[in-house]
Structures are given as structure tokens and as C-alpha cells.
Amino acid sequence: MKFLDLQKVNAVYATDLKRIAAEVIDSGWYLLGKYVKLFEEQLSSYLGCKYTVATGNGLDALRLILRAYIEMGVMQEGDEVIVPANTYIATILAITDNRLVPVFVEPDEQTLNLDFSLIENYVTNRTKAIMLVHLYGRCCWGEQVKVVARKYNLKIVEDNAQAMGAKSHICGLSGSYMTGALGDAAGNSFYPTKNLGALGDSGAVTTSDEELAMVVRALANYGSEKKYYNRYQGFNSRMDELQAAFLSLKLKYLDIENERRRVNAETYSILLQNAELILPQQAGEEHIWHQYIVRSSKRNQLQNWLQKQGVDTQIHYPLPPHLQECYPEYNHLSFPLTERLSQEILSLPISSYMGKEELTIIAEAINSFAE
């Protein structure tokens, strides 16, 4: 059983996707056209923010936000960004690519997201932002982070690569309850495996800050607001018309797909009865279950057992960013909970196309596991 079958994910849309592809091809306009504009408008409306800037991928979206803040004078090289230690490497790359300094903070053991109670301990006179990661699809938001940000005049940047469609029960800074529109700005990813996935790489910056949106849009287009006139030393990071058209179609069904994932997550939590496991918390609309994470001190043995039973699983993630070879300057740091999680976490197959029969097979295989 595949961990995720993208053919099955897109099968329900296949006829429309092929029709849309033909429309884009026949239009003769493949970049910065009507389909990108339409998707930007639709995403802003869906999230409840004022501006969306489509980008080439999710990492670029985060990089562009921080670069824009530097161009705006909000930050400068050497400033610090508080960030969860338990995250994917892209979160950290966006910070260091801008010659900013990541300040790692341990997660909350229940949510696996940033522990808000620890943030203030890490604020210094060089701190300029808090980067929240809605990891595995669970919303990371709360009054405590808003209070700290307000107290120290910090920007809140969301890494919303994994949680498109999740809703907080606490209002964001601009009135929205949707991840991607809770903080000052958000980087979003539409990598094919995401709940809202393109058929290639794509991303977007979402914000209600007009100046930030304008600077990001220019930076993503070679630093140019007017063709051949470059205000900034920019990038080339633009969503193409084909991906925008695909995403515009799939966005209409995102809430339905996410609800199917919630049902599957609840089913897993009922069926899984192995005492070796720590199951994730259910969190209502705050979780869209990009991944269904279980924890076990015998993770590697469990993964091998499931592989023998024909069940494909993955580990998100086996080595934390601060221990990666590319960051030798952080290898000496110790984050015990983050490091323990990297040895315990196992991601089970979960998607909108799965039904109870498949979930039961997986659960029975896990329940029969014994070292």
C-alpha cells in the first residue's frame, strides 16, 4: 500500500485537469496571466486576507517575505527569528538564506508545534520575528504568541506549507481564523503531496500588508515593478499559468477533502489499539491532517514490520535542522524533546481517497506488532 498515490489523488479531477491544461496551452499565455490573477483572488477570498502573491514554490514564499522585510527596513542581516526546532529544513533555509539567525525553540509535546510558553525566554534586542509552523496540518496559534509579538514589536510569519484549510478558534491579527492569514504574512506551499497540491512546484505569499505584498511581488519578478526597471536585486519565482489553473479548480474542493482526512484520522484513532503507540490529539477544524503522526520508542522496528506487511510509511523528520550537516554552527545545540521526536515519529498513510477498509488493514497490521 503506497504512502500516497498521487494518481488516485488527482483521478477525481482528471477530466477537468486535462480540459484546463488544453485551455491554458491554447491561450498562448503561460506566465503572469489571467489564471494566476484568478487564483490569487480566490485564495485571498478563501483565507480572508487582502493579498496573495503567487510564487514558484513554498520555500521561495518564505524567503521572499523575509527579504521583503529587509528591503522595507523592518529587519537587517544578523537579526534573529524565533522558530520551532521541530520543523522541516525549508523553514530554517528561508531564514539563513537571508542571513538572518534562527533561534530554535522546543515544541509542545502534545501539539508538536512551537511551545508558546517558551518564546519570551528567547527574545533579545535582535529578535525581529516569530516564525510559526503549522506542522503536520495542525494550526499553531494562540493568544500568548500575539501578546509576546505585540510586547516586543515582532512580526509573526506563518509557515503554512502543511495546513491549508485549517482554522484557529482564536482570531488572527487581521480578523481571519484561517492559517495563512493569522499573522503578518504567510508562506504557502502547493507541492503535489500537499492537501491543496499542484501538478508541479508552486507557492504563494499571503498577507493583508499592502506594502509587503508589493515588495514581494517585485522581488519575485527580478526585483522589477516595471519591465526592465529593477528596484531590487530580486529573484525569478513565479507560479505558471498551468499550475494556477489547476489550483483554482482544486481549491473549490479543499474543504471537502480536508473533512475526509478528519474522518480518516478519527477512524485511525479508534482502530489503533497498540499500547506501544502515542496517538496524535484530535483537534477539530484546527487540524487538516496533512500527516497522521504516531509515536513509538520502537519506531524503526514498527516501520520495518509494516513494510513486511506491505504498508508504506514515512518519517517526518529523521534528523532535526540543528543537527543537519549543512548547519555545523548549530550541531552543538541540544533540544532533547525535538531529538526524541525525530526518533519516535512515524507517519501513516492518510489521504482523502482512503476508506475504512484500507485504514482497517493498516491498523490491524500495527495492532499485531510486537517487538
Side-chain angles (χ1 to χ4, degrees), residues 19 21 29 34 36 43 74 78 83 187-188 280 292 321 323 340 358:
R19 173 183 55 80
W29 195 292
K34 68 177 184 180
V36 167
L43 188 61
V74 175
V83 65
N188 306 272
Y292 186 93
L323 296 179
R340 176 157 53 86
E358 292 168 288

Side-chain angles (χ1 to χ4, degrees), residues 172-290:
L173 302 181
S174 299
S176 176
Y177 290 83
M178 304 291 293
T179 61
L182 296 171
D184 293 286
N188 306 272
S189 171
F190 307 112
Y191 185 75
T193 62
K194 306 301 185 184
N195 291 35
L196 178 60
L199 274 69
D201 253 332
S202 292
V205 172
T206 49
T207 183
S208 289
D209 183 331
E210 182 178 14
E211 182 183 5
L212 179 70
M214 290 175 61
V215 177
V216 166
R217 190 175 296 280
L219 284 169
N221 188 36
Y222 297 98
S224 174
E225 295 173 326
K226 180 182 178 182
K227 193 171 184 179
Y228 301 131
Y229 292 86
N230 299 74
R231 184 173 181 179
Y232 311 105
Q233 296 178 30
F235 308 98
N236 174 17
S237 183
R238 301 171 299 194
M239 182 186 294
D240 65 68
E241 288 285 277
L242 194 60
Q243 301 307 330
F246 291 157
L247 290 168
S248 179
L249 166 69
K250 296 177 75 174
L251 179 60
K252 300 173 186 176
Y253 303 97
L254 177 61
D255 288 344
I256 296 172
E257 299 242 351
N258 283 344
E259 186 56 34
R260 289 173 182 162
R261 285 175 175 264
R262 289 191 188 99
V263 170
N264 286 343
E266 292 172 2
T267 301
Y268 260 142
S269 296
I270 293 169
L271 295 176
L272 292 172
Q273 300 291 328
N274 194 314
E276 294 290 338
L277 298 184
I278 299 175
L279 302 183
Q281 288 183 335
Q282 296 295 316
E285 290 189 321
E286 291 199 346
H287 210 320
I288 52 90
W289 301 98
H290 176 59

Side-chain angles (χ1 to χ4, degrees), residues 12 30 35 41 56 70 85 87 111 128 151 158 161 169 174 190 213 239 242 283 319 332 347 371:
V12 66
Y30 308 126
Y35 294 100
E41 292 172 350
I70 291 173
T87 187
T111 67
K128 291 297 187 293
K151 180 177 179 179
E158 300 170 73
H169 67 280
S174 299
F190 307 112
M239 182 186 294
L242 194 60
L319 190 67
H332 69 283
S347 301
E371 187 180 20

Side-chain angles (χ1 to χ4, degrees), residues 60-71:
D60 279 359
L62 288 175
R63 291 169 65 209
L64 285 161
I65 292 168
L66 297 177
R67 173 66 179 277
Y69 278 135
I70 291 173
E71 296 289 354

